Amino acid sequence: MGESFAKKERNKNKAKKKQDKAQKIMDRRHTGGKSSFEDMIAYVDEFGNITSEPVTTIKTEIKLEDIQLGAAPIEQEKEHIGTVTMYDVVKGFGFILENKTGHKLFVHKTGLLDTIKENDKVTFEREKTPKGLSAIMVRKYKQ
């Protein structure tokens, strides 16, 4: 009895793999094994582009005081005037509409110096937070 078709195909594939492996070994012996590794090396320049040439970078000096740790820098500006558009005493937050720019700023009860309610005219300082501008040092406007 002869071999089945599947068994013949399996044996043929095994023989082909064995022959391919022997060929790769012979190729490595003739080339010394070095050229294939050097062909695989790639370099990345300062812009993230991949090149085949080594990249020389120019080092720039960074001052220690320029390094900033944390999520976002907090910037404080001078005093502004605005109107309380909404304030929820129970939840402890609200919004102030700045008169000069028309920006709507978030205000939290921790940023209040006086008690406020809707339609109060207030003075405040702006603070840049990770979520946007907020009003701090909020007090009622006195002319």
Side-chain angles (χ1 to χ4, degrees):
M1 228 171 157
E3 295 178 338
S4 69
F5 177 76
K7 195 170 186 178
K8 285 180 187 176
E9 285 296 313
R10 209 173 321 133
N11 289 338
K12 197 190 302 182
N13 287 339
K14 270 187 186 179
K16 175 83 170 120
K17 283 183 184 180
K18 194 173 188 179
Q19 187 180 13
D20 289 345
K21 189 173 182 178
Q23 185 64 42
K24 285 181 185 177
I25 291 171
M26 292 301 288
D27 289 344
R28 273 191 238 127
R29 284 186 185 154
H30 291 295
T31 60
K34 292 183 181 179
S35 64
S36 63
F37 176 72
E38 289 172 358
D39 291 341
M40 291 188 291
I41 293 178
Y43 301 94
V44 179
D45 65 7
E46 66 268 14
F47 304 110
N49 300 320
I50 298 174
T51 64
S52 59
E53 301 294 320
V55 180
T56 56
T57 58
I58 300 170
K59 293 183 179 181
T60 55
E61 192 78 21
I62 297 174
K63 296 176 186 171
L64 186 60
E65 57 268 11
D66 290 344
I67 298 172
Q68 209 164 34
L69 301 176
I74 297 174
E75 297 174 5
Q76 293 185 356
E77 297 178 1
K78 61 181 179 149
E79 202 167 73
H80 300 275
I81 300 172
T83 308
V84 179
T85 56
M86 185 285 266
Y87 186 74
D88 189 334
V89 180
V90 176
K91 293 182 180 176
F93 74 92
F95 295 94
I96 296 174
L97 183 65
E98 189 175 358
N99 290 351
K100 196 180 243 184
T101 63
H103 289 126
K104 203 173 219 181
L105 293 109
F106 176 80
V107 62
H108 190 262
K109 66 182 176 184
T110 57
L112 300 178
L113 298 175
D114 295 335
T115 56
I116 61 171
K117 61 183 188 308
E118 285 185 29
N119 298 320
D120 278 353
K121 199 168 190 180
V122 293
T123 60
F124 59 92
E125 293 179 13
R126 293 191 313 178
E127 175 184 56
K128 189 170 185 169
T129 65
K131 291 188 177 182
L133 290 176
S134 290
I136 58 168
M137 307 292 284
V138 180
R139 59 174 57 122
K140 289 188 179 177
Y141 180 70
K142 297 173 185 161
Q143 287 183 330

